[in-house]
Amino acid sequence: VTTLDAHLAGGRGPDAADLADLVRALAAAGVTIADELARAALIGQLGTTGDTNVQGEKVKKLDVWANDVVVAALDATGRACTLVSEEMEEIRHRPERCAGGRFAVCFDPVDGSSNLDVNGIVGTIFSVLPRRGAGADHARADALQPGTAQVAAGYIMYGPSTLLMLTTGDGVHGFTLDRAQGVWIRTHTNVRIPARGRTYSINDGNFTRWPDGVRGFVEHIRAIDVASGRPYTARYAGSLVMDVHRTLLEGGIYLYPEDAAGSGKQSTGKLRLMYECSPMGMLVESAGGAASTGRARVRELAPTSPHQRVPLLIGSLEDVRLAEEFYAARRA
Ligand code: AHG
Ligand code: MN
Ligand code: MN
């Protein structure tokens, strides 16, 4: 049996111990959040606060509560002086913490919030970046780095069990929370995503706004061709953590494209680069898959703002490459 602590103790490199502090803090926040989710209906923690956030979305009580839990856990480590969160409009920078804080952390405290009120699966996503240090625009330089700079990424999935999926650049590993003991046990070692899957995941309600490449691709994978394993089957939970987790383990593709020009309001896609797409991209790539905007590798995008949205096509290498061909109109 390998615990999360034992796994982290095996980390190499000069930053391994500090990184382990951060991961332990995030995992501890996950235990607290899992407990709160389990009893939310009993203690009046479901529903909205009445506020609307910077993204124009109704804020749920648990979004705000979980944000505070993650911030407090990270602050207590003294290892991160720059934080980016879905629930914080500005980059949060605490210069007095920079002495020991060699990292910036970006996170989505509760991903899949629309599932909260229906007892559906939600998660916490995180991305760890090395701090860039000095300069007038210190906080922005720390936070706004491409996903290729990440030193760790992961998510905690609050499902029938609470599961932490993590990469620190050395493969993807999963840890299931043993609630009785209060420890995380490694249950998934060196996860590899199948080169190709048989499942696709996309919000079909956006059909009329999909770009042509996505329409063509989805039509293709829905078409019957027994020899090539088509049609694919559809799964969509509306929770990125759930949808990417299934894709990571079983293969296939998840898509959240931009709206076609002139057809809607999400012309750059919906999902956020810093705390949704980049960390999921690192995890899936580390497992042998791919993460693309349809036209470019997600992790190579240079962010310009903390809440920037980008299109996301993520999953099995062959499925993502095929979708890119439809985007490029090499296939129709
Ligand atoms: P969040 O709850 O953190 O705002 O994220 C919601 C995201 C993501 O979890 C999910 O995959 C996607 O939004 C679902 O969007 P649609 O409801 O538009 O399908
Ligand atoms: Mn989210
Ligand atoms: Mn969220």
Side-chain angles (χ1 to χ4, degrees):
V1 175
T2 302
T3 63
L4 177 62
D5 280 347
H7 176 90
L8 293 170
R12 288 182 298 272
D15 286 335
D18 290 352
L19 196 52
D21 284 348
L22 284 177
V23 173
R24 274 193 295 268
L26 289 159
V31 175
T32 306
I33 293 169
D35 286 345
E36 191 81 354
L37 289 169
R39 63 197 184 111
L42 305 174
I43 56 171
Q45 271 283 59
L46 296 178
T48 57
T49 62
D51 294 330
T52 301
N53 69 12
V54 56
Q55 333 237 0
E57 295 157 354
K58 288 208 169 85
V59 179
K60 306 256 178 171
K61 290 183 198 170
L62 281 165
D63 285 329
V64 181
W65 180 88
N67 183 66
D68 292 346
V69 169
V70 176
V71 169
L74 291 171
D75 272 358
T77 67
R79 299 280 175 247
C81 62
T82 302
L83 305 181
V84 172
S85 165
E86 182 189 353
E87 305 305 332
M88 301 192 292
E89 183 166 355
E90 306 292 340
I91 298 167
R92 183 178 182 280
H93 186 64
R94 294 286 180 275
E96 70 279 9
R97 291 180 194 275
C98 287
R102 291 212 289 266
F103 300 100
V105 181
C106 309
F107 57 94
D108 179 353
V110 180
D111 170 66
S113 308
S114 70
N115 285 312
L116 281 171
D117 295 342
V118 296
N119 201 36
I121 290 172
V122 296
T124 300
I125 309 172
F126 58 89
S127 160
V128 184
L129 295 158
R131 241 189 65 220
R132 290 304 176 204
D137 207 4
H138 182 150
R140 286 180 66 83
D142 285 357
L144 302 179
Q145 301 182 58
T148 46
Q150 292 171 107
V151 292
Y155 55 82
I156 301 163
M157 177 176 175
Y158 310 103
S161 65
T162 299
L163 176 63
L164 165 67
M165 298 297 291
L166 174 72
T167 182
T168 53
D170 188 13
V172 177
H173 309 285
F175 304 83
T176 300
L177 177 62
D178 179 337
R179 275 172 194 269
Q181 315 289 327
V183 288
W184 299 86
I185 305 294
R186 194 167 70 198
T187 47
H188 301 63
T189 304
N190 229 338
V191 172
R192 303 297 295 170
I193 184 171
R196 194 181 152 210
R198 296 196 163 200
T199 303
Y200 73 106
S201 189
I202 187 168
N203 185 338
D204 191 71
N206 295 330
F207 171 80
T208 54
R209 302 199 294 266
W210 291 347
D212 289 343
V214 171
R215 285 201 195 201
F217 173 70
V218 172
E219 254 170 43
H220 173 80
I221 58 178
R222 280 177 181 168
I224 298 174
D225 180 48
V226 176
S228 66
R230 292 180 285 137
Y232 282 23
T233 195
R235 291 283 186 278
Y236 191 76
S239 162
L240 185 67
V241 166
M242 169 78 257
D243 287 318
V244 167
H245 185 66
R246 183 192 53 252
T247 305
L248 178 65
L249 295 193
E250 298 188 340
I253 184 168
Y254 171 93
L255 308 94
Y256 210 115
E258 74 279 25
D259 291 340
S263 72
K265 57 185 163 85
Q266 298 180 149
S267 61
T268 56
K270 174 182 182 184
L271 300 176
R272 278 62 54 103
L273 177 59
M274 304 296 309
Y275 43 80
E276 292 178 322
C277 303
S278 271
M280 289 310 198
M282 182 178 185
L283 284 159
V284 170
E285 286 186 354
S286 302
S292 169
T293 64
R295 298 182 173 87
R297 184 179 171 215
V298 164
R299 286 177 70 194
E300 284 174 8
L301 300 176
T304 52
S305 79
H307 303 289
Q308 181 173 347
R309 299 172 193 263
V310 297
L312 180 67
L313 284 60
I314 190 168
S316 293
L317 192 61
E318 290 175 20
D319 290 312
V320 173
R321 293 292 172 257
L322 181 61
E324 286 175 328
E325 294 208 1
F326 279 89
Y327 256 89
R330 287 193 296 270
R331 297 276 301 250

